[in-house]
């Protein structure tokens, strides 16, 4: 049982950077793998990145590899998404989520979701 709150979204020019943060409540943060998903209006929610419980393994969708980095600080109950070289097609609402499982690309694996933060990239 965790509550997640995203922050760090905003408006940025193409080629710029943003760092999203997701703060988790409770004392069981380290028991969950964490993921980032995004959704543009009219589109399905899509997987972006995930990290396992210890931070030793990460996963990315192909379109963000080399540009985005997911990390976590279990002492601070926080997961981050560093986004560099942003493109207009990255524009979406970004959500963090917590999963007790190992199939981290599937949205159905995640039990808890934040409210989302808007990222807008202008050309």
């Amino acid at each position: 049982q965790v509550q997640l709150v995203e922050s760090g979204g905003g408006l940025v020019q193409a080629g710029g950077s943003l760092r999203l943060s997701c703060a988790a409540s409770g004392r069981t943060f380290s028991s969950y793998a964490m993921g980032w998903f995004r959704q543009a209006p009219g589109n399905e929610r899509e997987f972006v990145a995930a990290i396992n419980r210890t931070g030793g393994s990460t996963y990315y969708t192909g379109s963000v590899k080399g540009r985005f980095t997911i990390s976590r600080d279990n002492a601070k109950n926080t997961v981050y998404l560093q986004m560099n070289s942003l493109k207009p097609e990255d524009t979406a609402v970004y959500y963090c989520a917590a999963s007790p499982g190992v199939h981290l690309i599937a949205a159905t694996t995640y039990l808890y979701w934040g409210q989302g933060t808007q990222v807008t990239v202008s050309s």
Side-chain angles (χ1 to χ4, degrees), residues 15-19 64 66-69 81-87 90:
S17 298
L18 286 172
R19 188 180 75 159
V64 308
R67 300 189 297 121
F68 291 11
T69 302
L81 186 67
Q82 178 67 46
M83 304 186 295
N84 298 326
S85 301
L86 283 161
K87 304 175 180 179
D90 295 318

Side-chain angles (χ1 to χ4, degrees), residues 6 20-21 39 43 53 55-56 60 68-69 72 77-78 81 94 103 110 114-115:
E6 302 97 334
L20 306 184
S21 298
Q39 187 170 24
N43 293 344
R53 290 172 292 173
Y60 300 93
F68 291 11
T69 302
R72 68 190 297 161
N77 282 12
T78 302
L81 186 67
Y94 283 70
H103 296 99
Y110 294 83
Q115 294 299 304

Side-chain angles (χ1 to χ4, degrees), residues 35-102:
W36 287 96
F37 292 75
R38 64 188 181 187
Q39 187 170 24
N43 293 344
E44 296 293 321
R45 188 168 299 184
E46 65 174 348
F47 169 79
V48 177
I51 189 166
N52 73 345
R53 290 172 292 173
T54 64
S57 298
T58 58
Y59 310 88
Y60 300 93
T61 192
S63 62
V64 308
K65 286 182 179 178
R67 300 189 297 121
F68 291 11
T69 302
I70 188 171
S71 62
R72 68 190 297 161
D73 186 339
N74 286 350
K76 296 182 178 180
N77 282 12
T78 302
V79 63
Y80 305 95
L81 186 67
Q82 178 67 46
M83 304 186 295
N84 298 326
S85 301
L86 283 161
K87 304 175 180 179
E89 50 263 47
D90 295 318
T91 295
V93 176
Y94 283 70
Y95 299 89
C96 67
S99 172
V102 295

